[in-house]
Amino acid sequence: MTSPTRRRRTRQAAPAGPDARGTEIEVEVGPVAHGGHCVARHEGRVVFVRHALPGERVVARVTEGAEGARFWRADAVRVLTADADRVEPPCPVARPGLCGGCDFQHVAPARQRGLKAAVVAEQFRRLAGTELEVTVEEVPGAGSDGLRWRTRTQFAVDAEGRTGLRGHRSHQVVAVQDCPISTTGVVGSGVLASRFGNVETVEVATGSDGAAPLVVVTPEPGTHAHLPKLPDASVAVRTAEGLHRVSGRTWVGERVTVRGREHTFRVGGAGFWQVHPGAPAVLGEAVLAALEPRPGEHAVDLYSGVGLFTALLADAVGAEGSVLAVEGDERAVRDARKSLHELAQVELWAGAVEEALQDGELTARRTDLVVLDPPRSGAGRAVVEAIAALAPRAVAYVACDPAALARDTASFAERGYVLDGLRAFDLFPMTHHVECVARFVRA
Ligand SMILES: C[S@@+](CC[C@H](N)C(=O)[O-])C[C@H]1O[C@@H](n2cnc3c(N)ncnc32)[C@H](O)[C@@H]1O
């Protein structure tokens, strides 16, 4: 397997001449690319076109780029030849120049999964030198129309105090009365019909235990937030010291059933929890299937959050086995302690994964299994090398960015661990995001 390409990438079309923004060009749209756009060419220049589908002929309006720049970004504003999978976006602000939250509202849900599969395959070809047949699986727990699945949504607040969503690559806030990909619980929390003062963001989280949604407000720096009355929600304010309770609870309760057993979790504030209601069970099952844990085995859960995979693995390895969980967010570790206190085979470490993997207490132990679920940037070469040094029988890697996963796959291969299966899940319908679970074993 080849080593990963580490080319420096320009995040923005460099200003190399007169501003081209607003220029309209007619293009034939090429393949989908990572990031929610397709690739087109205009007079030899690459143009990343949003709101389009491969094979379409569109008029695209340039949104970023200058005359001499290597590439432009653009929005398809008129469709001259439409693909058969083009649909009317269900959300009125999922349009060029408006909300940047959804990338694929103009695409039928099954085709969205096809586009994501093509992106995952392309990232593995480019960054891991691996040819893969990828299928992106639909996830139960929400409707098959791709709407009302998001159990956690962060809203921005505009100058008038209205909640909304940001434009694509923009600070502009588009005020909204609804967000059709968010659950009715999020929308029903009342934040979209309210006005806030001195507030930067309003996060709403709904749990699966049926309790009222939790609204976490972050004030503008150095100010005190003015809050509306939200009788149908718990409310907390994020301060430098932590979460300040205004009303109700400062946490959300989650229930997950995997292999016939129900687990309950407490997720403090707007702490990390998968946003699709079907995600915890589907990912939990995929991790168990990838690791095939046996009673008495010893597992390590890296980037463990509030302990979702820790609990499932603890069940599977039983009282004779062990699970060591490592998580950097101390509040998440406290939540895990509350949820998992009955499992004597679980040990929770608060701290950086990078440091834990160098700790003699861990490196001297027998480790049979590792699950890792890093943030978007991936684990990185040093973490991958340290995992391989533990010599586990199998590794399950849960990834929300296929590019980072493909890069880390190349690092695993260099350390003698080969990719032995990959599943991809549509946990974020209407957006370009896709979640993967990869299994690695010793070559
Ligand atoms: C994608 S979440 C996964 C959480 C958990 N596995 C789950 O499914 O709920 C990533 C977690 O890694 C934690 N994290 C990020 N960087 C870290 C690091 N360097 N060391 C330890 N934890 C880290 C974050 O706080 C977050 O809880």
Side-chain angles (χ1 to χ4, degrees):
M1 214 173 269
T2 56
S3 57
T5 318
R6 293 199 183 277
R7 247 179 291 143
R8 241 179 194 290
R9 297 228 251 132
T10 320
R11 305 276 318 158
Q12 246 175 337
D19 195 345
R21 278 177 300 173
T23 307
E24 293 197 352
I25 53 177
E26 191 177 315
V27 290
E28 176 98 30
V29 179
V32 65
H34 191 23
H37 44 231
C38 296
V39 183
R41 290 198 171 266
H42 178 69
E43 296 173 352
R45 176 187 287 111
V46 167
V47 186
F48 296 115
V49 187
R50 278 169 61 79
H51 305 280
L53 268 166
E56 288 187 332
R57 192 146 193 93
V58 303
V59 173
R61 186 179 299 142
V62 178
T63 53
E64 266 182 66
E67 278 307 330
R70 229 167 21 89
F71 68 88
W72 287 348
R73 296 181 191 276
D75 285 342
V77 289
R78 281 196 300 287
V79 181
L80 306 176
T81 318
D83 186 274
D85 289 323
R86 177 172 279 277
V87 297
E88 184 64 15
C91 175
V93 295
R95 301 278 194 283
L98 295 174
C99 178
C102 290
D103 312 287
F104 291 150
Q105 288 231 0
H106 62 289
V107 185
R111 180 69 184 284
Q112 293 180 22
R113 294 192 286 279
L115 295 177
K116 297 182 199 197
V119 167
V120 174
E122 202 249 337
Q123 295 305 307
F124 271 82
R125 190 175 309 120
R126 210 165 61 80
L127 298 168
T130 304
E131 289 296 330
L132 289 180
E133 281 284 325
V134 180
T135 303
V136 173
E137 302 173 37
E138 190 180 356
V139 173
S144 56
D145 56 5
L147 303 175
R148 302 287 175 222
W149 53 268
R150 189 174 254 289
T151 60
R152 283 146 170 82
T153 308
Q154 185 185 86
F155 297 98
V157 177
D158 73 5
E160 278 81 54
R162 296 172 303 184
T163 42
L165 294 154
R166 293 199 189 277
H168 180 62
R169 294 171 64 84
S170 157
H171 292 297
Q172 182 209 342
V173 179
V174 180
V176 293
Q177 293 296 307
D178 186 12
C179 168
I181 63 167
S182 296
T183 57
T184 49
V186 167
V187 174
S189 65
V191 304
L192 295 176
S194 304
R195 296 278 176 129
F196 293 80
N198 299 337
V199 167
E200 223 164 48
T201 61
V202 178
E203 291 158 79
V204 187
T206 48
S208 50
D209 66 351
L214 171 64
V215 174
V216 177
V217 172
T218 303
E220 286 170 353
T223 66
H224 286 287
H226 296 297
L227 304 179
K229 287 204 167 22
L230 295 167
D232 299 323
S234 292
V235 181
V237 174
R238 182 174 284 128
T239 66
E241 290 75 45
L243 274 192
H244 165 71
R245 192 183 80 89
V246 177
S247 64
R249 308 190 309 196
T250 56
W251 53 277
V252 165
E254 298 285 358
R255 292 192 186 127
V256 183
T257 301
V258 176
R259 299 192 173 178
R261 175 132 151 64
E262 187 184 79
H263 299 265
T264 57
F265 299 89
R266 179 186 165 115
V267 187
F272 183 87
W273 185 256
Q274 288 287 345
V275 297
H276 190 291
V282 161
L283 294 180
E285 174 54 43
V287 165
L288 291 181
L291 294 179
E292 298 169 320
R294 302 168 196 147
E297 284 195 314
H298 301 279
V300 173
D301 179 1
L302 301 175
Y303 311 93
S304 52
V306 299
L308 169 64
F309 303 133
T310 310
L312 304 180
L313 285 170
D315 247 14
V317 299
E320 302 304 309
S322 72
V323 186
L324 168 61
V326 183
E327 164 59 40
D329 175 357
E330 285 186 15
R331 171 149 194 161
V333 177
R334 284 202 301 275
D335 287 337
R337 198 154 280 133
K338 288 200 172 81
S339 306
L340 310 180
H341 66 275
E342 283 175 1
L343 297 167
Q345 66 273 46
V346 167
E347 199 178 329
L348 303 169
W349 285 11
V353 162
E354 296 78 354
E355 285 166 26
L357 286 169
Q358 302 305 324
D359 192 313
E361 234 195 284
L362 169 54
T363 55
R365 291 182 185 197
R366 176 182 137 200
T367 298
D368 301 300
L369 307 167
V370 173
V371 57
L372 71 155
D373 185 4
R376 277 193 82 65
S377 49
R381 182 182 292 270
V383 166
V384 168
E385 288 177 358
I387 292 171
L390 298 175
R393 169 172 76 67
V395 175
Y397 187 143
V398 182
C400 59
D401 181 8
L405 174 62
R407 278 193 293 273
D408 288 338
T409 297
S411 300
F412 269 116
E414 284 169 14
R415 292 286 148 167
Y417 277 81
V418 291
L419 182 67
D420 184 43
L422 177 104
R423 290 179 71 189
F425 300 99
D426 195 12
L427 295 188
F428 312 94
M430 301 293 182
T431 79
H432 74 275
H433 296 285
V434 55
E435 192 88 7
C436 296
V437 178
R439 166 180 154 92
F440 296 93
V441 293
R442 256 176 289 177

